[in-house]
Amino acid sequence: EIANVKHLELALKYGIDTIWLGARTTTNPFSVQEIAEALNGKDIAVLIKNPVMPDLQLWLGAIERINRAGINKIIAVHRGFNTLQKGRYRNSPEWRLVIELKRLHPELPIICDPSHICGSREYLAEVSQMAMDLGLAGLMIEAHIDPSNALSDKRQQLTPSSLLALLNGLKTRSEYSANANFDKKLIELRTIIDRLDEQLLLLMSQRMELVR
């Protein structure tokens, strides 16, 4: 992860071939622009996490700035958003924004970071499956040989064996298609509707609580 030009220079010096912009860096267009200018002409893959707040334009802006620097290997990373809503996740998934990014840029690979969305290993499997149902390109999941002694984010980390079990339990779009003979587009649309329905129900629940 790089947060400024100095970090980028060090990464390039030591032969790092893939970097990422964190959520707080993506939030700052001035930082992104400086990094983009320093990336000009470099052959490197760049992962771009969504900004801290649910702002699709900021995310798109970061992606476009890096792309204009001549970087073609770009992957968007969905790590959830900080909102005023207090749900079971550490960062709200706001799936509608991911769906819209996918609609605007169908060629852009998007991977999901369930670890930072959940903040707890308890929900990793369900969020990972949601990402697969939406046809995202992959997952970024934190693992540690001994999570209780990890230096940070210990509650959201899996042991290697638990990670393997989670991955083996996921159903991919192709499996749905092969087993149930459903049209892929129909499955994707139904999944999107389900995710939006979940968010609508959460908002209605919060409204009722305020009314009470």
Side-chain angles (χ1 to χ4, degrees):
E1 179 177 2
I2 64 164
N4 53 48
V5 173
K6 183 179 179 181
H7 292 170
L8 174 62
E9 290 171 350
L10 284 169
L12 294 172
K13 176 182 177 181
Y14 289 101
I16 300 298
D17 60 10
T18 304
I19 58 172
W20 86 60
L21 305 185
R24 290 162 185 81
T25 303
T26 306
T27 300
N28 187 336
F30 300 103
S31 296
V32 175
Q33 183 60 37
E34 289 178 358
I35 291 169
E37 290 171 4
L39 278 169
N40 195 32
K42 305 294 191 298
D43 181 20
I44 194 168
V46 181
L47 282 65
I48 303 176
K49 289 199 171 187
N50 62 252
V52 173
M53 68 283 290
D55 187 331
L56 181 58
Q57 292 308 311
L58 267 180
W59 200 3
L60 283 168
I63 291 167
E64 290 166 2
R65 287 172 191 272
I66 298 301
N67 183 243
R68 283 199 298 268
I71 303 298
N72 298 315
K73 294 180 284 187
I74 296 176
I75 299 172
V77 182
H78 170 228
R79 50 81 77 192
F81 303 86
N82 293 357
T83 68
L84 296 177
Q85 300 173 9
K86 294 299 180 185
R88 56 181 170 173
Y89 302 133
R90 173 180 169 188
N91 292 301
S92 176
E94 301 294 319
W95 295 106
R96 60 189 172 81
L97 298 181
V98 182
I99 292 164
E100 182 65 5
L101 178 61
K102 204 163 180 257
R103 185 187 71 81
L104 293 170
H105 291 282
E107 79 292 347
L108 178 69
I110 306 173
I111 65 175
C112 183
D113 178 354
S115 299
H116 276 82
I117 289 175
C118 297
S120 167
R121 63 183 67 90
E122 179 182 359
Y123 306 117
L124 289 175
E126 68 182 56
V127 170
S128 298
Q129 186 60 62
M130 287 181 190
M132 293 294 95
D133 291 345
L134 286 174
L136 300 194
L139 302 167
M140 178 186 286
I141 300 175
E142 294 183 9
H144 193 288
I145 194 68
D146 183 8
S148 62
N149 284 315
L151 296 180
S152 66
D153 294 334
K154 60 183 66 179
R155 292 183 63 248
Q156 67 195 42
Q157 298 191 40
L158 294 174
T159 61
S161 58
S162 296
L163 174 61
L164 181 61
L166 184 153
L167 296 176
N168 286 337
L170 294 176
K171 292 182 179 180
T172 64
R173 182 83 56 78
S174 60
E175 288 173 346
Y176 282 125
S177 244
N179 295 336
N181 199 29
F182 285 144
D183 177 75
K184 288 185 178 182
K185 188 63 177 177
L186 183 60
I187 294 170
E188 181 173 349
L189 290 172
R190 285 176 172 171
T191 303
I192 289 169
I193 290 169
D194 287 346
R195 298 290 84 80
L196 293 175
D197 283 347
E198 287 176 7
Q199 292 190 322
L200 285 171
L201 288 170
L202 176 60
L203 287 171
M204 288 299 295
S205 172
Q206 291 172 340
R207 183 185 184 280
M208 291 301 296
E209 185 62 33
L210 285 171
V211 170
R212 279 197 292 271

